[in-house]
Amino acid sequence: MNKNVVEIIDALSAHEDLSSISVLEELGTNSPDNEVREYTSRALVRKNVHDSLAVVIINQGKGINDLSPAVAMSTINEILSLKDKSEVIKILDDTISMHSDEVVKENARSVKSLLALS
Amino acid sequence: MSRIQKVDLNVGQKIINPFKTSRSSAVTNPFKYSNFEGNTLQFADVFEGFENKKTSKLKMITSSVAGSMTKIRTSITEPIKTFVNRIKNSMSNAWEYAKNTNIELPEIPALKNVSERINSTLQMDIADIGKSIGNSISGRVSHINSNLTEIGKTMSAEWSKLLGKLNGNKITSETSVDELRKMWEAEIAIAKEAA
């Protein structure tokens, strides 16, 4: 992966401005490059705020729902390694109970089970 | 037999004591007639050891300063809480002693007023004073600690910025989101062109 892109994603991940989340979602999670999607998803999880976690949990084809197993697994690992898991559990619960897509629901349920086991 | 007769003593005979010293008042100086032939003692040398030695003032000052420094060092290493408690106890003891000592003031109105005022002022709880001193000191220490942490953080941030500038690296979390977006879009465009 391009060194400049890595630095841009890191800078956006550490940015306090919430508009950085939309940039990461728009340019990172929609990238055709698996590595960029993986790195962006992990950066969004590290932010550990509602909006960034929602991007990688409730959107089809992004984060834990990515078609690439490497991207999905990498995102799940990052979620499992969070110190404060309160926000992610809340979003997972909401997704399990309210999301319209069965696949997204099933993925959220799996991640929650993993969280319970960890 | 004749020998024995010689040894035999008469009761009235006077015994001469060979160890008896002369106490005659006529002889006052036993060395009066002695000739030392120039081997007289040098009195100045004999009493040399009794002369006052000149001690260095500088040495005395140095030793006293060293002693004071040692005392200060021990007082600094003493924990603040222990120090406060010790001061509090000594103040309390002093106050107890003062209270239990009968001091009779003459019946002068002005003096009586002064006495009453002093008593009313000293009714304050000494323990509270100690506590407030302790709280004040601990508060200041924590304030200093937090200030040092803030200074450390600021220095770290400034240092990172400086290093970033030296390395020609402009991509930091200080860069605005719009600029980062433009940079990323530029990178995507370059990648597309290369492909």
Side-chain angles (χ1 to χ4, degrees):
Chain A
M1 193 164 54
N2 189 338
K3 187 190 161 219
N4 285 347
V5 174
V6 171
E7 284 173 358
I8 290 164
I9 294 169
D10 285 339
L12 287 166
S13 173
H15 222 289
E16 288 179 3
D17 192 343
L18 288 176
S19 60
S20 60
I21 296 168
S22 60
V23 176
L24 284 167
E25 184 184 5
E26 191 184 325
L27 301 176
T29 57
N30 289 329
S31 170
D33 190 338
N34 282 358
E35 282 185 26
V36 173
R37 287 207 309 281
E38 183 189 332
Y39 201 78
T40 308
S41 296
R42 285 170 59 194
L44 284 163
V45 174
R46 277 199 302 274
K47 277 179 107 65
N48 201 10
V49 291
H50 180 87
D51 292 348
S52 67
L53 290 169
V55 172
V56 294
I57 291 171
I58 63 170
N59 285 312
Q60 207 172 15
K62 292 180 183 177
I64 61 169
N65 306 307
D66 200 286
L67 291 174
S68 162
V71 176
M73 286 307 296
S74 185
T75 312
I76 291 165
N77 277 338
E78 200 67 41
I79 289 169
L80 293 174
S81 62
L82 281 175
K83 280 185 183 174
D84 180 14
K85 297 182 179 73
S86 54
E87 192 61 40
V88 79
I89 288 169
K90 202 186 290 177
I91 295 168
L92 285 168
D93 284 338
D94 290 347
T95 310
I96 292 162
S97 59
M98 291 188 287
H99 208 280
S100 56
D101 195 323
E102 260 323 296
V103 178
V104 173
K105 266 187 179 181
E106 191 58 40
N107 287 336
R109 206 172 284 124
S110 303
V111 173
K112 207 192 165 191
S113 304
L114 284 169
L115 277 173
L117 290 169
S118 66
Chain B
M1 189 69 186
S2 61
R3 269 190 166 183
I4 295 167
Q5 280 175 349
K6 276 183 184 177
V7 172
D8 189 19
L9 295 170
N10 293 324
V11 178
Q13 194 179 344
K14 196 178 181 182
I15 301 165
I16 301 160
N17 185 359
F19 303 107
K20 190 180 180 184
T21 50
S22 173
R23 299 284 182 190
S24 173
S25 59
V27 183
T28 52
N29 185 1
F31 301 106
K32 193 174 182 180
Y33 301 107
S34 301
N35 183 14
F36 290 103
E37 294 177 355
N39 293 327
T40 49
L41 294 168
Q42 297 295 318
F43 288 100
D45 293 336
V46 170
F47 296 104
E48 194 180 20
F50 295 99
E51 278 184 358
N52 287 333
K53 284 184 179 176
K54 288 178 183 175
T55 47
S56 167
K57 280 188 180 178
L58 186 65
K59 273 188 180 178
M60 288 170 69
I61 292 164
T62 312
S63 61
S64 68
V65 168
S68 305
M69 288 297 285
T70 315
K71 277 184 182 176
I72 288 165
R73 198 177 59 184
T74 50
S75 65
I76 286 169
T77 51
E78 185 181 22
I80 289 166
K81 274 195 172 178
T82 319
F83 171 75
V84 169
N85 283 333
R86 192 161 55 78
I87 296 294
K88 185 184 75 181
N89 289 336
S90 61
M91 283 172 81
S92 300
N93 290 339
W95 173 235
E96 283 300 318
Y97 177 76
K99 266 202 310 188
N100 296 327
T101 308
N102 289 324
I103 303 167
E104 289 182 6
L105 291 171
E107 285 296 321
I108 301 167
L111 274 176
K112 201 178 176 183
N113 285 339
V114 169
S115 166
E116 280 170 1
R117 282 190 183 184
I118 289 169
N119 279 333
S120 61
T121 311
L122 288 177
Q123 287 301 319
M124 287 172 71
D125 192 355
I126 301 294
D128 283 346
I129 295 170
K131 278 176 192 171
S132 63
I133 291 169
N135 291 338
S136 163
I137 290 169
S138 60
R140 284 182 186 182
V141 168
S142 62
H143 183 62
I144 289 166
N145 279 342
S146 60
N147 277 352
L148 282 173
T149 313
E150 286 303 315
I151 289 166
K153 280 179 184 174
T154 314
M155 279 177 73
S156 170
E158 290 298 320
W159 184 247
S160 302
K161 268 188 197 175
L162 185 67
L163 279 177
K165 280 181 185 174
L166 285 172
N167 294 332
N169 181 9
K170 291 177 183 175
I171 305 168
T172 62
S173 58
E174 299 293 320
T175 317
S176 70
V177 176
D178 286 338
E179 277 183 53
L180 289 168
R181 176 194 278 270
K182 281 174 189 170
M183 284 179 197
W184 200 348
E185 283 172 346
E187 289 294 331
I188 291 166
I190 292 164
K192 273 184 184 173
E193 279 177 17

